[in-house]
Amino acid sequence: MQKASERGKSNRSNGKVPHATGSKAFRRIAHDMAKKRNGKMPGRALMYCVTHTKKDKNYVNLEASQIADSLQNVIREEEEEKLEQDDQDGDEESDTEAGIDPARPWINDGYSKVMGEDKGSRVSLMGHLTLSIRKGNSGSKESDSNSNPLAKKLSAYEVKMNDMQKEIDELKAERAHQSAAATQ
């Protein structure tokens, strides 16, 4: 326990820009924000600004403030580009931003323009994603199960669950048939 505590202190001291959310998960914060935004999930740039702002509405430190200013400038520029594009196209407003892949919204977004691309399987402000999703793989079960033993187990459980559901449905149908025959 003491070693874990020391390791935690060391890791926290290495961080230059701490967040101000405490133990609340970023995914939970994003979900709460989406509820307030009619189901639209916030982008990483907005998430950064929210998670690095203290209760008194100030940023946690000067570096966080500078990063947030840069992110807000990028957000403004993207919104202006989107408005110009919508005016040119004459289309209705869409939920997807220009140049953003809805399946992988962390690629080419405002946050990655300011902070750089994420490395590894962790995506900043989104938590851990499976490596196949991170790399933009098709997301097929076959590719996931080949590279991830947990996905393989999950797939086996899904098959087992489907078989059990079929058996339950057959038993219900048999019971209904028996009940109908008994009432006649």
Side-chain angles (χ1 to χ4, degrees):
M1 183 75 162
Q2 188 65 30
K3 284 184 181 180
S5 176
E6 293 298 324
R7 187 171 52 241
K9 286 179 189 175
S10 172
N11 288 341
R12 283 189 298 278
S13 69
N14 290 336
K16 295 177 184 171
V17 185
H19 62 79
T21 60
S23 62
K24 189 171 183 180
F26 284 7
R27 288 302 247 173
R28 191 167 141 214
I29 293 167
H31 179 74
D32 292 347
M33 289 174 67
K35 283 181 183 178
K36 294 175 185 173
R37 301 173 76 219
N38 296 324
K40 186 175 180 187
M41 292 296 283
R44 293 193 306 159
L46 179 58
M47 279 293 295
Y48 181 91
C49 294
V50 169
T51 59
H52 290 78
T53 303
K54 297 185 288 186
K55 288 180 183 178
D56 66 1
K57 305 293 183 204
N58 292 316
Y59 288 102
V60 291
N61 60 22
L62 180 61
E63 188 173 348
S65 176
Q66 292 169 342
I67 291 170
D69 288 344
S70 298
L71 289 170
Q72 289 169 352
N73 288 336
V74 168
I75 291 171
R76 259 187 246 108
E77 290 170 9
E78 287 177 348
E79 287 174 352
E80 288 171 6
E81 288 174 17
K82 185 179 179 205
L83 287 173
E84 288 175 14
Q85 186 67 32
D86 287 347
D87 288 344
Q88 290 174 358
D89 293 344
D91 292 340
E92 293 179 14
E93 195 174 312
S94 70
D95 284 344
T96 57
E97 298 174 32
I100 303 292
D101 178 359
R104 298 180 297 148
W106 59 88
I107 306 290
N108 197 32
D109 67 346
Y111 182 85
S112 63
K113 290 175 184 172
V114 173
M115 302 298 287
E117 292 292 325
D118 289 307
K119 296 171 182 69
S121 65
R122 187 178 179 289
V123 177
S124 296
L125 301 165
M126 293 185 81
H128 293 277
L129 302 173
T130 63
L131 192 57
S132 61
I133 293 172
R134 172 74 176 92
K135 288 185 175 178
N137 204 340
S138 65
S140 70
K141 287 185 180 181
E142 183 177 298
S143 64
D144 287 348
S145 64
N146 288 340
S147 62
N148 187 344
L150 289 176
K152 213 177 230 184
K153 262 187 179 177
L154 178 63
S155 183
Y157 283 128
E158 286 174 343
V159 168
K160 196 172 191 175
M161 185 179 69
N162 288 336
D163 290 344
M164 292 169 91
Q165 187 61 50
K166 284 179 189 175
E167 188 176 343
I168 290 169
D169 292 342
E170 289 170 3
L171 289 169
K172 283 181 178 178
E174 185 180 323
R175 186 175 185 188
H177 180 69
Q178 288 174 349
S179 294
T183 57
Q184 290 178 356

